[in-house]
Amino acid sequence: MAIVVKRKPLTFLEKLYIPEIVRGLTVTFRRMFFGETVTLEYPEQRPPIPAGYRGVPTLVRDPEGREKCVSCQLCEFVCPPKAIRITPGEIPEDSDYAHVEKAPKEFDIDMLRCIYCGMCQEVCPEEAIWLQNQYSMSGYTRAEMVNNKAKLYELGGTLPDDHFKWNKKKEAAKNGGGHGHAMPPADMPRSENPEVPPVFPK
Amino acid sequence: MELTDIAIKSIYAIVVVSVLMGFCSYAVLAERKISSWIQGRVGPNRTTLPIIGSIPYVGRFLTRLGVFQPAADGLKFLFKEDVTPAHVNKLYFTLAPVLSLVPALTTVVVVPFGYFENAAGEVVNLVLADLNVAILFLFAISSLGVYGVVLAGWASNSKYPFLGGIRASAQMISYELAMGISVLPVFMWLNAPGTDGTLSLVDVVNAQGGALWNAMWMPGSFLIFVVCIFAETNRLPFDMAESETELVSGFHTEYSSFKFGLFFVGEYAHMLVGSAVVAVLFLGGWHPLPFMTWADFGVHGWLAGVLSVGTMIGKLCGFMFFFMWIRWTLPRFRYDQVMRIGWQMLLPLSIANLIVYTFVIYFLERP
Amino acid sequence: MTDLFFYLFATLTLGCAFGVVFSKNPVNAAMFLIMTFLGMASLFVLLEAYFLAVIQILVYAGAVVVLFLFIIMLLDVKEENKHRVKPLTWVASLIGFALLILGVVAITSSDNIKATSESLPEAAGASLKNFGYELFTTYQLPMQVTGFLLLIAMIGVIVLSKKVKTDS
């Protein structure tokens, strides 16, 4: 139901209008000379970014320096504006992580298309793509606005990881456990682990 | 008139107009700074010049104050793309900005801004032309300024500018009446019986020297006149022609770059002349204090010239500040409210004010 | 010098007056009308009747033509709306023109025009004081009558334009 706020009848002084103008003027006068500046001077001063902010999508590495993305291309599929383009590649046999099998050869995110919806982060099974606290993207050309793999890792940096899931998988495989089902505590359902809020060195 | 006379007059005129234009550009800066202070912002604080800007402390202070901003603004107006829409009436579309600026610059001719005493001790008034009918000249020429707005609205050949133009024409006519009547008491007081009739602004200032300023004992006239000046200069809360919340930006919606710049400068030139007229008519012109002139302070010669011009400029700046202060405080009137205030409040009030002061002056002058 | 200015402004006034009559676009006509008034004001200035000159601009150029423009804009008159000139209009304008010529001839052939400027009395409109004095003494009755006529016209417009509420 609509709320009806009754308008108070104006007093005589208010009807004269001049005293009210003077009152308004004193308010603005106080603002002018004793008011605080509430704006930030942007490039030098930056606003504090709250936790969980969805900025530019980035790729991250784990503390061991491994790129987490396994180029499953789920993000590429889910991306509503089709901003992500992944060219999958192989991990060489002699690498420590050869059992991960795949890593992106190229990973482009077109920031002119990205709508910062965060679905890529949500869908990523490896927690490899994160929308972090970076919010200012600019460039002179369209080509500049496409973030390639190197740029994405540079923006993303390293995130803490308390699973090291692929290490455990390797361990399990060595002990004959197949896909990690042999060691329940190591492969706990994810929901029981507390979400690790991203902490960034920047 | 000798040719040299004409040359000297032209040079004076060019000097005065350039000073006025300089004031205009800094008035724009002041407007931006004051608006940002009222709104808790910082305002223009980045533009800087290579050498002056790098002086320690001073350069930084000036940069923070935005002192170099007008140069950047002016250059922007010059070099932006000048778009003339295809559907406009080209002749009037180009003529309109000029028509809005020229009257404002012309009225400055009769505005006195100081005096000095030459070697012979004679008082020389600093005014381009001390007309006997100065105030009428001023009203007449400034009333021509509306053609700029009306023609811009009409020539743009699109809805919102058109509405802006129509509003401007109706508003100007409505407030001119009250404005003319509100200054009558001043001139009734000035033209005592037995003197030669004068409407000169210099005489108004001289009459206020060593006496009360007109604003002090004619607050009614002062108030009505100030409100009408706001309406005549199309400033908030009376900027019906522009009202950007309803009419995009009113009569200059279709204008860009230099033509828009002319409108912009014209508005501030109108404001400056309006402030100067208020200072001359009601705030004692170049007299420093009520009941006191610079001569009473023992100031003579060239120094008096400098001080009187300084006082005048001080009052002018003060009133410009008031213009801007009001603009960023009050919301815009609705169009019907503007008309109601003009016809049903200010006009009767100014007539009542005239009648009251007719009696007051009659009894004051009957010794 | 003054002569030169006289011819300049007289040409301007006449030229613009013709412009008012012959321009098809009403806005053009209104602008020509302003120029005509400005030219007339300049002629007054040359006659040293500054007061009249200023009043000419203030009242006619500053207020009346603004109203014209206001009306023209609201009516949205199209340029194409040519209407045929009636024969009666032709006759009337010819008679008017003949009377005008007659008047000019009468004035120029009379003796007053030959009088030198010293022998002429000061024009009533020349100075502010004279103007006011004459208006409130010699021409008091015409002024009041004019004012009254204007008042009647105004009331008439209000009466005509006001919709009368009928009880039905």
Side-chain angles (χ1 to χ4, degrees), chain A residues 137-150:
Chain A
M137 281 290 301
S138 56
Y140 288 104
T141 58
R142 281 166 183 276
E144 256 178 78
M145 293 303 288
V146 178
N147 288 343
N148 59 16
K149 195 175 132 185

Side-chain angles (χ1 to χ4, degrees), chain C residues 112-131:
Chain C
N112 278 347
I113 202 75
K114 297 185 184 88
T116 53
S117 59
E118 285 92 40
S119 62
L120 280 173
E122 194 184 359
S127 87
L128 200 59
K129 202 178 166 188
N130 279 349
F131 188 81

Side-chain angles (χ1 to χ4, degrees), chain C residues 83-94:
Chain C
H83 59 95
R84 206 170 282 280
V85 183
K86 289 178 195 160
L88 193 63
T89 318
W90 275 111
V91 174
S93 42
L94 275 179

Side-chain angles (χ1 to χ4, degrees), chain A residues 62-77:
Chain A
D62 74 0
E64 293 179 356
R66 181 184 69 88
E67 45 181 301
K68 287 177 113 179
C69 177
V70 296
S71 67
C72 65
Q73 292 176 297
L74 275 177
C75 50
E76 187 175 351
F77 283 121

Side-chain angles (χ1 to χ4, degrees), chain B residues 96-166:
Chain B
V98 183
L99 277 184
S100 79
L101 178 63
V102 167
L105 295 184
T106 312
T107 43
V108 88
V109 165
V110 293
V111 176
F113 45 85
Y115 76 101
F116 70 90
E117 287 168 14
N118 61 13
E122 291 165 341
V123 172
V124 181
N125 291 306
L126 292 173
V127 55
L128 285 180
D130 183 9
L131 289 188
N132 192 350
V133 287
I135 187 72
L136 286 176
F137 179 83
L138 207 137
F139 285 169
I141 300 297
S142 66
S143 71
L144 293 182
V146 70
Y147 287 111
V149 177
V150 173
L151 276 183
W154 182 77
S156 293
N157 196 11
S158 89
K159 288 187 198 80
Y160 294 123
F162 181 71
L163 286 173
I166 283 193

Side-chain angles (χ1 to χ4, degrees), chain B residues 6 92 99 133 136-137 139-140 143-144 146-147 150-151 154 162 166 169-170 173 176 195-199, chain C residues 1 25 27-28 31 34 38 50-51 54-55 57-58 60-63 65-67 69-70 73-74 128-129:
Chain B
I6 295 176
Y92 291 130
L99 277 184
V133 287
L136 286 176
F137 179 83
F139 285 169
S143 71
L144 293 182
V146 70
Y147 287 111
V150 173
L151 276 183
W154 182 77
F162 181 71
I166 283 193
S169 60
I173 290 174
E176 248 166 35
T195 55
D196 262 351
T198 176
L199 293 180
Chain C
M1 194 79 159
N25 185 338
V27 173
N28 278 340
M31 294 321 280
I34 297 170
L38 289 183
Y50 302 111
F51 180 67
V54 167
I55 287 295
I57 297 178
L58 183 65
Y60 288 102
V65 184
V66 178
L67 280 179
L69 271 182
F70 186 77
M73 283 174 162
L74 280 184
L128 200 59
K129 202 178 166 188

Side-chain angles (χ1 to χ4, degrees), chain B residues 245-267:
Chain B
T245 42
E246 354 173 337
L247 301 184
V248 188
S249 67
F251 65 97
H252 57 62
T253 305
E254 306 283 349
Y255 282 87
S256 53
S257 136
F258 192 63
K259 293 199 193 93
F260 172 73
L262 284 183
F263 275 125
F264 204 57
V265 172
E267 183 189 333

